[in-house]
Amino acid sequence: MTEKQFKPTRIAVIGTGAVGSTTAYTLLLHKRMSELVLIDVNKDKARGDALDMNHGLPFVGNVRVWAGDYPDCKDADIIVVTAGAAQKPGETRQDLLLRNVKIFESIIENVTKYNNSGILLIATNPVDVLSYFSWKKSGWPANRVIGSGTLLDSARFRYLIAEELAIDPRSVHAHIIGEHGDTELPVWSRANVAGIQVDLSEEKQAEIFKDTKDAAYEIINAKGATFYAIALALDRICAAILRNESSVLTVSTLLDGTYGVDDVYLGIPCIVDHSGVRRVLDLELNDKEQELLRKSAQTLKGLIADCSASWKDDEQ
C-alpha cells in the first residue's frame, strides 16, 4: 500500500505593503494554507516580512513561508493581489485608477505566465475596475477572478447597525452593493436580524450609511491607510474557497444580465466555493435600490471606457 501523496495548499500574496503584509499575517494566524509566498517589487520588504513570520512559526505551527517571485505562483490555489499605488488623504479610489492599471498590466501578465488554474483575488483599489481589467487581461473564466468588492463595506454597515441595536454584528444580515466606492448603496429593504426587518428612522439610516461610506476616508485621514479589516475580509474569502464552503459573500464579480446589468464587475452577494464565484444571487431590490445599482454600474462602465486606451487587451 503506497503512502497517500500530500498536495500542499499555496497562497501567493502579491504586494507586501500594509494591506498585503497584514493579509499574509492573518492568513498565517488562521493557517489557511500550508505554503505562503510573498511577492513584491521591494524584495527586501518581502524577505523581511517572511523572516519575521517564520520566527513566529513555533507559536502557530508548520507553515512554509518565503519571499519569492512570479514563478512561485505556479502551484498557487489563490493569488491575492494587493499591490498598487496607495490611496492618499483626500484622494478618491477613482483617482488611483490610471496609476494602478499600469501596475496591473505587468502583474497579471506575469501571474498568467506560470498559473492558469488558480483563483485571482483582487484587493487593490479601485477594486471593481481592476477586477474587470484582471479578468480581461488574464483570459480566465470570470468565476475565478474575484474582487474583494463590498464585503468590507457590508461588514462596516453591519457593525454600525449592530451598534445602534446593541446586538452582535454577526447577527445582522445586511449588504452594501455596487461599486466599492462613492456610488455604493445600502440594501435597507433586505436588512434584517433573525428575519425581522431592521426598523430605523430615515435619518438614522442616512447617518449609518454615511458613516459606512466615509469610513475608509476617516481611517486614512487618521492613520494613512486601512488594513486590519480588509485583511480579515480577504482571509474570509480565502477560507470560503479553500474549504469549499458555499458561503454567501458580497464580492465583486462579473454581471451578465443580472439586475439588468452586464459587462461590469460589481459587489453583489455571491455563493463562493472552491470554484470561486459559483453563483450570483439575485436579490429582490426595491425600485430605488435597482435604480441606484444601475447608476453605480454606469459609473464604473464610464471609468472602464475612460482608461480603455491604456489597456493592452489581448483581444485587441
Side-chain angles (χ1 to χ4, degrees):
M1 184 175 178
T2 59
E3 185 178 345
K4 186 177 180 180
Q5 187 70 27
F6 171 71
K7 183 185 181 299
T9 302
R10 181 179 298 182
I11 296 179
V13 176
I14 300 177
T16 58
V19 172
S21 59
T22 308
T23 298
Y25 183 57
T26 305
L27 292 166
L28 175 67
L29 288 179
H30 291 152
K31 297 183 69 175
R32 299 299 186 199
M33 67 280 121
S34 52
E35 297 182 345
L36 175 62
V37 57
L38 310 179
I39 301 169
D40 197 288
V41 65
N42 183 343
K43 296 185 184 301
D44 285 340
K45 175 61 164 62
R47 184 176 62 85
D49 279 338
L51 186 60
D52 199 3
M53 290 183 206
N54 273 305
H55 292 166
L57 292 183
F59 305 114
V60 297
N62 187 25
V63 178
R64 184 182 171 218
V65 185
W66 75 99
D69 213 330
Y70 287 105
D72 294 295
C73 291
K74 179 180 179 182
D75 297 316
D77 299 275
I78 304 173
I79 303 100
V80 183
V81 185
T82 68
Q87 189 173 359
K88 300 175 182 178
E91 183 180 41
T92 67
R93 294 181 179 99
Q94 289 90 341
D95 291 336
L96 291 172
L97 181 55
L98 289 177
R99 288 193 289 151
N100 280 332
V101 162
K102 291 295 185 183
I103 294 169
F104 265 61
E105 190 80 47
S106 173
I107 289 173
I108 302 305
E109 182 177 351
N110 278 295
V111 167
T112 54
K113 278 181 185 177
Y114 301 101
N115 189 314
N116 61 10
S117 62
I119 290 176
L120 272 167
L121 176 52
I122 310 300
T124 308
N125 282 319
V127 68
D128 304 292
V129 178
L130 291 175
S131 297
Y132 180 91
F133 169 74
S134 299
W135 165 62
K136 297 287 283 186
K137 182 66 181 176
S138 68
W140 291 7
N143 66 290
R144 292 200 288 114
V145 182
I146 306 172
S148 54
T150 51
L151 185 58
L152 174 54
D153 308 84
S154 297
R156 290 167 172 156
F157 189 45
R158 292 166 62 198
Y159 163 76
L160 290 166
I161 293 172
E163 286 287 288
E164 181 64 26
L165 301 179
I167 61 172
D168 189 326
R170 293 173 297 180
S171 297
V172 177
H173 304 282
H175 302 286
I176 298 291
I177 63 174
E179 176 198 10
H180 173 57
D182 295 337
T183 66
E184 65 187 29
L185 61 132
V187 186
W188 283 110
S189 66
R190 294 293 163 189
N192 73 89
V193 177
I196 303 170
Q197 186 167 1
V198 172
D199 185 17
L200 297 171
S201 68
E202 289 186 5
E203 292 78 8
K204 181 55 66 175
Q205 287 185 8
E207 178 187 332
I208 287 174
F209 177 53
K210 182 179 186 302
D211 289 346
T212 299
K213 189 168 68 169
D214 293 345
Y217 299 123
E218 181 180 358
I219 294 168
I220 289 167
N221 287 332
K223 69 169 192 171
T226 68
F227 42 87
Y228 294 131
I230 184 60
L232 287 165
L234 293 169
D235 172 78
R236 182 68 191 89
I237 298 168
C238 288
I241 293 168
L242 295 174
R243 293 176 176 176
N244 195 27
E245 289 182 346
S246 297
S247 292
V248 176
L249 302 173
T250 313
V251 295
S252 187
T253 192
L254 181 71
L255 294 192
D256 189 17
T258 311
Y259 303 100
V261 173
D262 62 5
D263 197 35
V264 69
Y265 266 65
L266 286 176
I268 293 291
C270 299
I271 298 174
V272 179
D273 63 12
H274 65 92
S275 66
V277 170
R278 192 180 87 201
R279 183 157 67 92
V280 177
L281 298 184
D282 193 353
L283 293 178
E284 188 175 337
L285 305 177
N286 62 33
D287 291 343
K288 180 182 178 182
E289 291 162 350
Q290 184 71 55
E291 180 184 358
L292 290 172
L293 182 63
R294 289 177 178 170
K295 285 183 178 179
S296 185
Q298 287 304 119
T299 296
L300 288 169
K301 284 189 172 187
L303 292 173
I304 290 168
D306 287 345
C307 69
S308 61
S310 301
W311 296 4
K312 299 175 182 177
D313 195 329
D314 292 336
E315 296 178 353
Q316 293 180 345

